[in-house]
Amino acid sequence: MKAMKPACTGPLGLFGNPVEHSFSPLFMNHALSLLNLNYRYLAFAIEESSVKAAMQALRVLGFRGANVTIPFKRSVLHYLDHVDDLAQKIGAVNCILNNDGVLSGFNTDHAGFIKPLVNRGIRLNGKRALVIGAGGATRAVLTGLVDHNISHILLLNRTERNAATLIDWCAGELQFTRIDYDGPPSKLEQKALQSVDLIINSTPVGMHPDTAGAPLSGSLHFSDHQTVYDLIYNPWETMMLSRARAEGATVLNGFEMLILQGLYSLAHWFPRREREIFSLQESIVNYTRQVVAES
Ligand code: NAP
């Protein structure tokens, strides 16, 4: 089937379910306008049974690319023509490039997660991390930590079976075995918390609208040698980050990760504009934060 050429404005998109709450159309369209690129970025809520048809629509309607979010980052792998090595290793695609009907899949969550740590000069080499959660995002998190020579990982997860699957994947795909399951987050003890340098929340606990929740018990204490990174970006500061900051830890939310995975996607779609795309990071963060705060 011959691809349609968009008559004027080119389409880009986000496929997931739900997508109504997503900030991506807001900041991606802002970035496109700053770059003077005649494209529009739209969010599409689809069903699992429509993933194959949605990929065909990308080809037929001449999309330059698309992002994929929960819950299709894994299932979409079956409908792409190429998947790069990193996305293959992580087992999840969140960015698709359409080159004349040939769809290639990438994972930009990985770079989005690790860059904010690197940019702040937070060294991972030889450090110990505590990771909470064993879902899709955790695979990108673990890949980033292992790539940056983390020395040991303590894994907490509500469901032990899912933690065991992740540990097997880590040993197989990442060749990393210094990872131990330490029970559900609610059972963590102070001694174990004190033994790590970096704490990462990769669960939705504490996310809007249930902002009173926190993955770790309020009786535990952080310290000023620790970095606490919550992948949640709504609210800006989760209950866990607020406590960690008050106790002197360095804190990081998921907002920069969100913006960066989008900028890395734009760089896949418009590689000649890469330098300009990344130079916009700060202004896009500020713009998005301001619009969200006002809404
Ligand atoms: P996922 O695949 O659905 O995994 C969710 C994980 O959280 C699982 O380990 C699950 O445990 C755990 N969990 C869920 N509800 C829980 C609860 N009430 N109590 C304890 N544990 C719970 O989701 P994901 O894609 O990995 O995403 C995880 C988080 O990262 C989400 O908040 C998402 O918004 C965020 N994220 C942010 C970015 C960004 O750009 N900032 C990118 C990707 C993801 P079980 O195994 O027991 O089910």
Side-chain angles (χ1 to χ4, degrees):
M1 197 184 305
K2 204 166 170 353
M4 285 170 71
K5 289 268 178 255
C8 184
T9 303
L12 294 165
L14 170 70
F15 292 89
N17 201 343
V19 289
E20 292 75 12
H21 68 287
S22 173
F23 293 166
S24 293
L26 173 70
F27 76 81
M28 292 296 263
N29 283 316
H30 182 63
L32 290 164
S33 94
L34 291 177
L35 290 161
N36 214 9
L37 286 164
N38 192 11
Y39 284 80
R40 268 278 168 272
Y41 185 99
L42 299 167
F44 300 91
I46 60 169
E47 299 299 326
E48 184 70 55
S49 56
S50 311
V51 176
K52 184 177 180 185
M55 293 306 106
Q56 188 56 5
L58 292 185
R59 295 183 177 96
V60 173
L61 299 176
F63 275 64
R64 177 62 182 153
N67 287 124
V68 182
T69 187
I70 295 173
F72 307 124
K73 289 184 188 181
R74 285 174 74 73
S75 55
V76 77
L77 280 151
H78 303 298
Y79 308 111
L80 303 175
D81 303 301
H82 300 291
V83 176
D84 88 334
D85 288 348
L86 179 65
Q88 199 83 253
K89 185 157 82 169
I90 296 171
V93 160
N94 74 307
C95 170
I96 297 168
L97 167 69
N98 178 15
N99 253 332
D100 294 327
V102 178
L103 300 187
S104 303
F106 304 91
N107 187 298
T108 66
D109 282 337
H110 169 269
F113 162 72
I114 207 74
K115 277 279 168 184
L117 291 167
V118 173
N119 289 348
R120 283 167 179 74
I122 297 169
R123 292 173 60 85
L124 300 175
N125 196 348
K127 300 286 174 65
R128 289 170 58 86
L130 176 82
V131 177
I132 314 165
T138 311
R139 291 181 183 228
V141 166
L142 295 187
T143 307
L145 296 179
V146 171
D147 285 352
H148 285 75
N149 300 319
I150 202 84
S151 121
H152 191 269
I153 298 171
L154 268 189
L155 183 69
L156 308 180
N157 197 52
R158 180 178 61 178
T159 309
E160 183 170 359
R161 179 171 26 92
N162 294 342
T165 303
L166 192 71
I167 288 172
D168 285 348
W169 166 84
C170 196
E173 280 296 332
L174 305 184
Q175 304 279 293
F176 185 86
T177 53
R178 296 188 304 279
I179 174 167
D180 295 306
Y181 177 60
D182 199 33
S186 55
K187 296 276 168 59
L188 181 71
E189 293 186 1
Q190 183 66 36
K191 197 171 162 212
L193 180 62
Q194 277 314 117
S195 74
V196 300
D197 307 285
L198 174 66
I199 295 116
I200 298 158
N201 177 34
S202 182
T203 76
V205 183
M207 191 164 79
H208 178 80
D210 299 321
T211 53
L216 299 180
S217 153
S219 63
L220 297 173
H221 296 288
F222 300 97
S223 56
D224 57 9
H225 77 271
Q226 295 180 315
T227 298
V228 183
Y229 190 169
D230 199 327
L231 264 51
I232 292 172
Y233 50 83
N234 185 10
W236 182 262
E237 190 169 82
T238 57
M239 195 61 90
M240 181 174 87
L241 285 192
S242 158
R243 277 205 334 259
R245 188 171 51 79
E247 292 174 346
T250 301
V251 298
L252 210 58
N253 68 16
F255 202 75
E256 205 173 320
M257 173 176 176
L258 173 76
I259 303 286
L260 277 166
Q261 62 75 30
L263 297 188
Y264 277 97
S265 298
L266 285 169
H268 278 296
W269 303 330
F270 307 106
R272 278 186 290 188
R273 307 291 298 276
E274 181 168 346
R275 200 137 35 121
E276 231 180 310
I277 288 168
F278 288 107
S279 73
L280 297 175
Q281 183 183 333
E282 201 180 323
S283 74
I284 294 173
V285 167
N286 292 340
Y287 166 83
T288 314
R289 191 178 175 188
Q290 190 185 335
V291 173
V292 171
E294 285 167 0
S295 62

